Amino acid sequence: MIQRRPLSRHARGFTLIEVLLVVVLIAVLMGVAVVSLNPEDPARRLLRAREQMQGQLALARVIAERDQLEIGVRLLPESWQFLRFRSTDRQWEIMADEPAFKVKPYTGMALSWQDADAKAVAASAERPGLTPDFLLMSSGEATPGIIRFDAINDGRGLQESLTLTDIGDAVPTESLKSNAPERASAYDTEAARAPR
């Protein structure tokens, strides 16, 4: 017959309270992780859209200069399209053959464009056909202005924006504001000199 020894204090295991405490802590940490990594969060969607457009604009600028093309960007309600100017028939066409310029729709987002010298913000829906909102030219120049990414149906008024300079750099608007005295652009100084 096998004799059982009484369990020592060190070999007893965990109490029910200790196990429940660990389960509750894990649940709280998982809840925080899910909320912070939520891909459906409108702020994250706007940031992702802005970063994707910023990268695509940098690539489009290089392609425009390298291939001597005029590239336009047409803003849609929840997405955007890159257009190429065909000099043969003087028409714009969608750059469907370039996989780097494919964009999935960002639901719940509205895009708008504001020229550097214009006071009002315009949406692309106002322009018929394949007309770009702004250009990246083969000479290295671009249409200066601001691209706004707004969250729709969100009470917080979330917004991201990119500033496109006249030399084709797309930078987050906040970084321009933080360096405003040292790095004011040409269109910022023209706007400041305009009569009010």
Side-chain angles (χ1 to χ4, degrees):
M1 179 152 129
I2 301 175
Q3 282 189 332
R4 293 187 179 200
R5 295 187 286 160
L7 295 174
S8 69
R9 182 173 171 97
H10 297 292
R12 282 192 329 199
F14 298 106
T15 65
L16 183 59
I17 299 292
E18 291 170 333
V19 171
L20 286 175
L21 182 64
V22 169
V23 168
V24 167
L25 283 174
I26 289 173
V28 167
L29 291 174
M30 290 293 289
V32 168
V34 166
V35 168
S36 67
L37 297 175
N38 182 5
E40 295 306 314
D41 180 33
R44 285 194 179 281
R45 258 185 299 172
L46 291 179
L47 183 63
R48 268 198 329 263
R50 187 196 76 190
E51 288 173 347
Q52 181 180 8
M53 180 176 270
Q54 187 175 6
Q56 288 178 328
L57 287 173
L59 177 63
R61 177 182 169 198
V62 170
I63 290 174
E65 290 180 37
R66 181 194 69 194
D67 298 343
Q68 291 298 294
L69 292 172
E70 310 306 325
I71 295 178
V73 179
R74 179 176 177 233
L75 301 178
L76 303 172
E78 296 181 338
S79 187
W80 57 90
Q81 293 175 327
F82 281 84
L83 309 173
R84 172 188 313 125
F85 187 72
R86 290 189 315 246
S87 57
T88 55
D89 59 354
R90 305 190 58 76
Q91 296 291 319
W92 290 97
E93 69 177 354
I94 299 171
M95 295 177 72
D97 57 339
E98 294 283 345
F101 295 129
K102 293 202 187 300
V103 179
K104 67 176 184 73
Y106 288 93
T107 56
M109 180 182 71
L111 285 111
S112 57
W113 167 256
Q114 179 179 358
D115 281 327
D117 27 337
K119 301 289 183 209
V121 176
S124 254
E126 301 167 3
R127 297 182 179 171
L130 284 178
T131 306
D133 289 292
F134 56 93
L135 302 174
L136 299 165
M137 293 171 254
S138 58
S139 63
E141 298 174 295
T143 309
I146 297 174
I147 308 157
R148 296 194 195 288
F149 304 81
D150 293 300
I152 302 173
N153 301 328
D154 186 72
R156 297 176 286 179
L158 296 174
Q159 183 183 75
E160 289 285 337
S161 59
L162 276 176
T163 299
L164 187 65
T165 65
D166 53 357
I167 59 169
D169 289 330
V171 293
T173 305
E174 304 85 43
S175 65
L176 275 183
K177 288 179 183 173
S178 65
N179 297 332
E182 299 117 28
R183 297 175 51 132
S185 63
Y187 55 89
D188 286 338
T189 54
E190 288 175 10
R193 283 187 263 151
R196 295 180 185 190

